[in-house]
Amino acid sequence: MAHPIIAFLQQLRSNNSREWMAEHRTEYELVKALRDDTARQFIGAIAEVDSDAAGFPVKECVYRMVRDTRFSMDKSPYKTHVGIFVCPPLGKKSVMAGYYLHIEPGNSFICGGNYELPTKYLTAIRNDIRDNIEEYVSIVESPEFKQYFPTVGDNLLKTAPKGFDRDWEYINYVRPREYAVVMKLDDSIFDSADYMEQLLPVLEQIKRFNDFINFAITESELPLLRS
């Protein structure tokens, strides 16, 4: 039997309407409570490897399931996934790297870093990678890291970013537009009572990556919240 969150999202995927949701309001409220409990457990697990997460408020980590459809061709009213983003000390609106748990039937994953950063932040990260290339390589190429995250970054530039020699041997490390690492999760993991404990080694490696990215962002003296 699927985890209650997975089971509900599977039903919602086939019945994404306000009418259906109104008929299943009790189940929806139960799923929201389970989401919040999952967030508390996720925060607790992260705090075991990153003390800054200790006591972080759930409300700063979870997202509404109602979609903003104003600028979307897809007018379905509800998200068919649950997202939990733990990014102390500033929360969901921070540009800093954090820890993300995504629960979606057939597409669950755990993620580190951050997405859709403005160019000025990407430039700060790329410059820090160039200036501290040995440290960065020691993280992302270590066997402990690569067993969970064989690739780093997404949405690569077709060529070298401005100011970088395209023939630099490490040029691929500065080509991502998204500095994030992702590990897919089988939906069945959520049926295990100890799955947060199973994720601890993964969280340890995410912290190594996040620490490097966050140092670059904070040293840049750019704002730490999205405008």
Side-chain angles (χ1 to χ4, degrees):
M1 181 178 295
H3 186 279
I5 294 179
I6 294 289
F8 180 83
L9 293 173
Q10 286 173 330
Q11 293 182 68
L12 179 58
R13 182 182 286 174
S14 302
N15 303 276
N16 200 333
S17 70
R18 291 181 176 85
E19 293 77 16
W20 185 88
M21 186 65 82
E23 294 173 1
H24 295 79
R25 177 61 56 176
T26 300
E27 296 142 90
Y28 175 57
E29 294 299 331
L30 173 61
V31 164
K32 288 203 298 182
L34 288 172
R35 174 204 64 190
D36 290 353
D37 185 59
T38 300
R40 278 187 285 271
Q41 293 180 52
F42 192 43
I43 292 166
I46 295 166
E48 293 194 36
V49 302
D50 186 345
S51 60
D52 288 344
F56 203 64
V58 167
K59 67 178 182 179
E60 292 296 333
C61 306
V62 297
Y63 296 89
R64 297 172 67 227
M65 290 186 68
V66 177
R67 295 183 63 247
D68 182 353
T69 61
R70 291 173 299 170
F71 308 107
S72 175
M73 294 293 289
D74 178 4
K75 298 301 181 182
S76 53
Y78 302 103
K79 299 172 185 174
T80 55
H81 68 269
V82 164
I84 302 168
F85 184 46
V86 182
C87 191
L90 301 175
K92 294 178 290 186
K93 294 184 178 180
S94 175
V95 297
M96 296 177 68
Y99 308 80
Y100 179 72
L101 180 64
H102 186 93
I103 305 175
E104 180 180 5
N107 188 39
S108 298
F109 58 87
I110 187 171
C111 176
N114 210 330
Y115 277 83
E116 298 180 349
L117 293 177
T119 301
K120 57 188 176 181
Y121 296 92
L122 294 177
T123 299
I125 294 168
R126 289 166 178 153
N127 287 343
D128 203 53
I129 290 172
R130 177 185 57 199
D131 296 343
N132 300 280
I133 187 61
E134 292 183 0
E135 179 186 353
Y136 188 71
V137 169
S138 73
I139 296 169
V140 301
E141 295 296 341
S142 69
E144 298 85 0
F145 188 88
K146 288 182 75 69
Q147 67 177 314
Y148 305 119
F149 308 112
T151 61
V152 177
D154 196 8
N155 192 14
L156 305 185
L157 294 170
K158 292 182 179 180
T159 186
K162 185 178 180 180
F164 286 82
D165 182 351
R166 68 178 63 187
D167 295 324
W168 184 42
E169 62 178 309
Y170 299 112
I171 196 63
N172 285 339
Y173 292 129
V174 295
R175 288 176 58 212
R177 293 186 180 94
E178 313 290 357
Y179 275 93
V181 291
V182 179
M183 188 183 83
K184 296 282 289 184
L185 299 174
D186 192 278
D187 293 345
S188 63
I189 191 173
F190 302 110
D191 297 324
S192 301
D194 66 342
Y195 78 89
M196 286 296 178
E197 187 175 337
Q198 294 179 44
L199 293 177
L200 284 176
V202 185
L203 293 171
E204 289 176 351
Q205 297 307 316
I206 289 177
K207 183 179 186 299
R208 296 175 67 200
F209 179 76
N210 284 353
D211 284 350
F212 187 98
I213 299 301
N214 286 336
F215 180 83
I217 291 174
T218 54
E219 286 294 299
S220 71
E221 300 184 354
L222 294 166
L224 299 182
L225 289 173
R226 296 180 188 271
S227 55

